Structure formats: C-alpha cells, structure tokens
Amino acid sequence: MGETAGKVSEEIETTVEADNNRLKDRKFSWAKLRRVDSLNLEAGRLPISSTKATMSKADWLTTLSLAFQSVGVVYGDIGTSPLYVYSSTFPDGIGDPDNLIGVLSLIIYSIVLIPFFKYSFVVLRANDNGEGGTFALYSLLCRHVKVSLSPNQQPEDRELSNYQLDTPSSELKRAYKIRGKIEKSKLAKIVLFLVTILGTSMVIGDGVLTPSISVLSAVSGIKSLGKDAVVGISVAILILLFSAQRFGTDKVGYSFAPIILLWFSFISGIGLYNLFTHGWGVLRAVNPLYIVNYFKRRGKHGWVSLGGVVLSITGTEAMFADLGHFNVQAIQMSFSSIALPALLIAYSGQAAYLTKYPNDVGDTFYKSVPDPLYWPTFVIAVAAAIIASQAMISGAFSIISQSLTLRCFPGVKVVHTSTKYEGQVYIPDINYMLMIASVIVTVGFKTTEKIGNAYGIAVVAVMMITTSMVTLIMLVIWKTNILWIVLFCVFFGAIEAVYLSSVLYKFVQGGFLPLAFSLVLMTIMGIWHYVHQRRYDFELKNKVSNEYIKQLAQDPRISRMPGMGLLYSELVQGIPPIFPHFISNIPSIHSVLVFVSIKKLPVSRIASKERFLFRQVEPREYRMFRCVVRYGYQDVMGTPEEFEHQLVENLKVFIRHEYFMAEGGTTKQTTTPEDHQSSTVLANHGREKGTSNSAVFVEESLNQVNPSRVSSASIQSFNAARSTNSSSRIFSAPIQGAEEEIQFVQKAMDEGVIYLLGEAEVMAKQNSSFMKKIIVDYMYNFLRKNFRQGEKVMVIPHTRLLRVGMTYEI
C-alpha cells in the first residue's frame, strides 16, 4: 500500500509540474480530475489528428496556387517601396558618392536579414496552426502558459487535438522555471496583453497608412498634374480599392497576382538595364564595411536617414499577418524566388543610375525608367500601388478576426469569402473605417514624405513586438538552445531598436499618427476586454446553486412547455444567474432545456467531433443539460439549422453513452476539502485503472460565496435559497431507456427550438471609482450599443429569440 501511494503521489506531482509533457499511456492524475469543472465524457479520448498536421501536408499543387495568390496579396507593399525609398532617405541630396553605396548596403542587408532570415525562417514557424500575426503569437503562448486574462479556461481544452504541440525534450527545466514565474505574475500577464494589442493596433494602423503612401507615390509620377489633382485621383483610387474588398482575398489575389508579377518583372528589368548602362560598381555595397564608413562619415545625419531606409522593408509584417490566407511554404517560396531577387536588383539599378545623375534623387524611380517604358511602367506602378494596400488590409482583417475570438474587440460581422481557404475573411465595418481613415490621411498630409515619417514608426514597432514575443516562444515553447535565443533577440532587437530611434526622431513631422491610431484602438480593445472579464467574474460568483435547481424541480408553479429551449450564456463553470431571472418573469420551462456557452479558444480550428461538451443537470427527470460549444478563431458557426442539428445529434450521443456507463459501470468517489467551487468523480467501466475510453466525469456543485451586489431581486432570492449543506454528494440514477430519452429529445426539437438570451446591462457599483464608472457606464456601453449585438454574432434567428433584461453591477 505504501509503495502504491508513493507511485500515485509521484504521478500527481509530475502532472501538476509538467502537464504538457504527456505520459506515453496518456493517464490522467486523480488530483487533476478531482478539480475539473467538467462538462464532457470524451475529454480524455480525443484523437490526435491535428489540423496543423493536415495543413502541413498540403500537396504541392495547392502550395503553388497559394504561392501565386500570395504574390498579389502579400508583396504589393514591400514591392512598391522602390517608388519612394531613395527620395525619403536623401531629402537634401546625396552629397558624397560613397553615401549612396552606404545606403544601398543598408537596404540590401535590411531586406536579407529581416524579411528573409527573420520572418521566412523563424517568425513564420511561430504560427498558430497556420495563423499568423500578433494575436496568433499571443494565443500560442496562452495554449502553453497560463497568461490569458480570460477567466473561462478549462483543463479539458488542453486535450484538444490541435491545442497541443509536441514538447521538445531539451531545456525543459529552464522553460518550466520561466513559465512558472510568468504564470504567477499578474503584471507579466497584463504587460503581455498590452504589448499584444499594441502590435495589433499598429498592424491595423498600417492598413490605413499603406494605401495612402503607396497610391500617392504612384500617382505623383504625372508631373503635369498639380498637388490637388494628385490627391483627388488618389482618393478616388482608394475608394475603389476598399470597395473591391468584398469580393474576398481569393478573387482579389488571383486578380492582383499577375499585375504584381508584371511589376516585379518591370522593376528587375529596369534595374538590370541601369546596371548594364551605368556600371556594376554599386554591387560592392555587399561589403558591410560601407555601412560602417557611412555612419562614420555622416554621423547624426546618417542615423536620421535610417527613417528612409526602413521604408525598404515596409510590408514585411504582412508576410506573417497574412499567413492565415496561405501557408508557410507558399510564403517562403514566393518571397525567396520572386520578391527578394526583384527588389535587390531594383535598388541596385536605381543606385547605378544615381551615380551618374545624383540630382534626380527626388524622383529616382521614374527618372531611371527608359523613355519607351515610361508610360507602361507608370500604369503598372499605379496598379501595383493600389495592390500594395491589399497586404495590410488583408492582415488587418485576419488580426481583428482573431481578436474577436479572444474577446478583445467589439462584435463585428466577419464574412468568410472563400469555401476553399477558411482563413480568408472580410470585415465590412472595419473595411469602411479603414477607407475613411485612409482618405483623411491622404487629404490631410498630401505628400509621401510626412506619411513616410508616420509609416516607419508603425512598421518598426510591430517588428520589435514580434521579436520580443517570438523570443518568449523560443524560451517556453520551442525550448531552443539559450545561445540561439540570445543571438536572435540581441541581433534583431538591436537592429530594430536603432531603426525605431531614428523614426521617432521625426515624431512631430507626422510620426505621431500611428501612435494616435494605436492609442484609440488600444483603448477600445482594453475597455472591451476588461469589462468582459469583470462581467464573467460577476456571473461566476453568482452562478445558480444545485440547491436552487432542486427546489425549482419541486415547485408546482413552474410549468413545462413543449419544445426545446437554448439558454445562452458566456458562463462555462455553471448555470448563469440570468436563469432565475427568466423563471421569475416567465414561470415555465421547455420540456428540454440546454444551457449553451459559446466558447472561443485560442486555436485556429476545432474538429467537429471535439466541439460539443455536455453534462446533465440534476434532477435528471427535469431534462436540463449544460453544453459548452467550442470554436477556434477561424471556425465558422454556420446557420441556426446546422447548429441545432449538430447540438441535438451530439446530445443523443451523450445520452446513449451515459446510459451505457450507468448500466455497465461502477462509481468511485473522491473529494477534497479544499475544493471551493466544484469537484468531480471518475467512473470506471469495470476496470481498476480507468483508461481514457471509459472515463466519465460527474460534477458536484459546492457552496459559493457571493460578495457582489446583485441588482436583480430574482438573483437575491435564489442566493437566499442556497443551502449551507449544499456540498452533499449527488448520485445519478441509472437512465431508464436511452432510446426513449433520445426520442423525447428529438420530439422536443421537432416541436420547435427557442433561443433564450439575457440582455445584461453592465453598470459599475455605486461605490466604484469615478474612472471605473466612466469606463463601464459610458465608454463600454457606447461600444456595446454601436457594434453588433450577441444574437448577430452567435447567428441566432430573430423569429425564435426571447430576451429578458437584467442589470449586472460589477
């Protein structure tokens, strides 16, 4: 017995200390199972058929197709940088001829080191099951480290097939030590969240600045036009561009890719022409010593000029942000074989031209074009500039779609524009907001120089945020050798810090713009996330006790009506306080009632067979169930009819499996006195050691403390009805005839499904601070009233929707 207890204790300690390092036989520790507020029977027997693995095995034909599309969507921004890089770097002239070689060397190494090495080979690996962007990095960290501020995490979620990664065996001790410190620090969690929404805001800001600077720089090629005419034409083009977004990335990508390919052909051909015509001597810029000599010679002016050089790598973040629209191999293939060589040749050719005509630096691109190709190049340049905007617009759509899942943005309509590629989305509300902002910037600044000052800050800030988050991923997830981590962080961090210091020098000359955008967006996202978290905490503290449900079952005033009721709530760990409020207003319950919680997890997609988790609420003859429906941030909810069918079919499977377990299993029970909210027992199907195929979780609801003030009288009534002895065990009686129960559920569905939705008005408590009242009572409620409501986000039909209002005081 002593040896057995020792083994069990050792297993418990191993599981708690390193839950990601799964045992080969995938046993579950008793300590972990006792503390789970579980809703499902199948959490322990999920298949390991990962979506990520499926996507990684995409056939070459699909990869080539995606690579072709990515040329039109991803590289328009970085591809049109030759239009304005040299003019932005040398606003006051070139001066010493060696300055030109030094700047070309800076451009070459910036493109090779950051987009090629850092993003193509390192950052793209840090994707979240095929999704990229700042929020994908955050969600990847949330899956492995308990850093999420969202309170509705469940241990079962870690058992999803695409919720886990293979744990490397090296550097394990260091990774868990860092992970433990982060998980214990509330400050670290808040800082990580703020950094995430800052990076997100900057990328969305790029979606405003990229169209403005790209279109303005291209249209300004017509010198006969005045400044006002250039601005007017640019505005008209921008409106057309944003109007085309509704057709989707798929169609837009196929339409734009040939134009961008033609653009790359033009700039590389013109570059080769200039190299042949004006000499190949500029290629000595591959020697990095020219960079050192450039800074020695120009000093502070050389440092300030980096604000122009950094424009050569604008659009790099689109390679990662747009990853969900494509895949890693497609991005790597298209950049290394098409974009990279074309850009290096183009910049080298322009430098060769400027060695002969240094006074043309203000209009380098168009001056370096041979006369017969001028107008064809101009037309292609305008088209490419329009397309350049597509990269960051698509990235903004992807990132906002992810932020919605993590409850960091008010509800907006997300349209999936491709049945073939699920990651391709379009958000109408955001599209028109970006369009209006981009038009205002174009009209307000009128020149690319000032917009370039703003653009550089947004670009470099996002790169630094990506570097810091990937470094953290290397430490706690990949468990990379510490020398490689230090090399990555210090090397790229130092380069980007120098660039950032340079672009901040021009803060007053337009650099404030992306920071202003980011401040507004961070305020919106921060307020929404904060109030959502407080609201969830309120529901958790005031959830319905099991004693109240027992009393409800015995209340003769409560009648049962035919049909099935779906009561929606965000609460995962129990029955929401809105339920007694429904009963007090409408003293009747449908013959089958399901408490539905739509839960978004920080993974891209969840297999349909892993989506629904059920638990039956006692007493069983009352036929009330709790259901958590889990979605990834790229999953589509579908129509109400599809959702109802899936829910009922999974409910039937749950009833049948529960009947089987009740008939053939024996129940063992373990409780711990330190459990405050709930505990579970494990039923083994005739085995001493239950495998994952036979595990059944039976939940016990315990007494909860309710310190919060509740404004609804019905909530107060059920709190008063809670028994001080409500921690007594609840045993489920065997189900009498599973097929009869299944037929009863089917009949209830056939009689009609009604959606019950609580309209909870969130208010700050009377004794709250003035700032909290401003945030909750005014700012949050303004956002809630002016964005999409819950029934639209959850695809609830209006004709079958019943609302009941109440107030939450947080």
Side-chain angles (χ1 to χ4, degrees), residues 217-237:
S217 61
V219 176
S220 62
I222 307 178
K223 295 302 179 185
S224 58
L225 294 176
K227 183 181 290 187
D228 293 338
V230 169
V231 172
I233 293 173
S234 299
V235 168
I237 291 173

Side-chain angles (χ1 to χ4, degrees), residues 535 538-539 567-570 576-579 581-582 585 711-712 715 755-763 780-781 784-794 796 798 801-809:
R535 174 177 170 172
F538 176 91
E539 290 189 333
L567 195 155
Y568 277 77
S569 168
E570 294 180 357
I578 197 73
F579 178 58
H581 199 65
F582 270 113
N585 287 274
S711 59
S712 170
I715 297 181
Y755 293 81
L756 311 173
L757 187 64
E759 284 287 324
E761 183 179 0
V762 182
M763 303 292 292
Y780 171 79
N781 283 306
R784 187 177 64 86
K785 292 173 182 176
N786 287 277
F787 283 86
R788 286 166 62 86
Q789 298 299 312
E791 71 274 10
K792 294 181 181 178
V793 176
M794 294 184 286
I796 297 176
H798 285 279
L801 174 62
L802 177 63
R803 304 171 185 265
V804 172
M806 66 177 296
T807 301
Y808 288 177
E809 291 192 353

